[in-house]
Amino acid sequence: MDPLVRPDIEDYAAASTTAEPALLQQVARETEALGDRARMLTGRLEGRLLNFLVGLIKPQQVLEIGCFTGYSALSMAEALAEGGKLYTCEISREHAAIARRNFDASPFGDRIELRLGPALDTIASLDGPFGFVFIDADKANYPAYYDAVLPKLAEGGLLAFDNVLWSGRVLDDEDDTADTTAIRALNARLARDERVEAVMLTVRDGLTLVRRRASH
């Protein structure tokens, strides 16, 4: 992921944000050891933002599409209200095994249920409603995830899409890869979809927050 914000500014913002628990710091260190895949790690700044949003909304059910090593799921589970549940979807058995170990080590792990397999199948099997949904998985399926999740979003709930700036590739007219094309299409759709309100934040690689309008 090419940085959209100067690295020193990014570091300063992270240092000026409340620190994550020690376990999450350990999860981050162990994830960094995976090499190039570590770029998929949510990280301290965005992780604390997810934690903050869940704490504000106080949802009974949270859905995450794209678990990786469990950092973002643990960030959100920490802020869940009593009795809250987080479902997280992962397609990779290797990543799921790492995430499960991290969940087992956390006092909030019992709030998380990891579903292994295609996320669209998992979404179809869950009733909702979800007060918060975080989507950070295969980008080509972003429009399909939006279609599947929006009907199951609770009134007043919030949907968040990660990597919506895609290291700036959304502005490259010569980039017609499936991932970039899907992200561009989703971004344009969210801005004009009258059922929702959307705001794109320049946090890390871009994060769009989507709120369903009361009349829809």
Side-chain angles (χ1 to χ4, degrees):
M1 185 175 72
D2 295 330
L4 297 174
V5 178
R6 276 173 32 194
D8 57 339
I9 296 293
E10 182 83 16
D11 291 344
Y12 181 80
S16 302
T17 297
T18 302
E20 72 272 59
L23 174 63
L24 281 177
Q25 295 176 24
Q26 178 181 332
V27 171
R29 288 193 296 270
E30 292 177 352
T31 302
E32 291 292 343
L34 295 176
D36 288 344
R37 286 178 290 172
R39 70 184 185 279
M40 296 189 292
L41 180 70
T42 301
R44 175 176 175 177
L45 186 61
E46 190 173 357
R48 288 300 89 189
L49 175 58
L50 294 174
N51 175 278
F52 198 88
L53 292 171
V54 170
L56 285 174
I57 298 169
K58 301 188 184 306
Q60 283 300 305
Q61 293 193 92
V62 171
L63 174 64
E64 176 182 54
I65 302 175
C67 179
F68 192 32
T69 58
Y71 184 98
S72 51
L74 286 169
S75 297
M76 293 184 284
E78 175 193 346
L80 276 176
E82 187 67 29
K85 187 77 173 180
L86 186 150
Y87 297 92
T88 183
C89 307
E90 179 55 54
I91 194 71
S92 164
R93 290 186 179 277
E94 178 190 0
H95 295 162
I98 296 171
R100 285 195 174 104
R101 288 199 299 271
N102 291 330
F103 298 160
D104 289 343
S106 169
F108 310 111
D110 60 350
R111 303 177 181 180
I112 304 172
E113 182 176 322
L114 193 153
R115 297 288 188 94
L116 183 65
L120 289 172
D121 292 346
T122 297
I123 296 167
S125 73
L126 297 172
D127 294 329
F130 300 104
F132 189 78
V133 179
F134 178 52
I135 300 179
D136 183 19
D138 52 314
K139 313 310 171 189
N141 265 324
Y142 268 23
Y145 293 145
Y146 180 56
D147 287 333
V149 164
L150 188 62
K152 299 188 178 188
L153 191 63
E155 184 175 349
L158 201 63
L159 169 60
F161 282 97
D162 201 11
N163 302 112
V164 291
L165 290 174
W166 207 222
S167 298
R169 293 196 291 275
V170 289
L171 298 179
D172 183 354
D173 293 336
E174 295 183 0
D175 188 337
D176 58 358
T177 58
D179 287 345
T180 304
T181 300
I183 293 174
R184 275 201 211 101
L186 176 74
N187 292 343
R189 182 178 176 188
L190 292 177
R192 65 174 184 265
D193 191 336
E194 295 183 354
R195 298 173 298 172
V196 301
E197 296 172 294
V199 59
M200 183 182 289
L201 308 177
T202 53
V203 175
R204 281 176 59 81
D205 196 30
L207 181 74
T208 293
L209 301 180
V210 181
R211 181 173 63 186
R212 193 169 184 173
R213 294 183 189 272
S215 59
H216 296 272

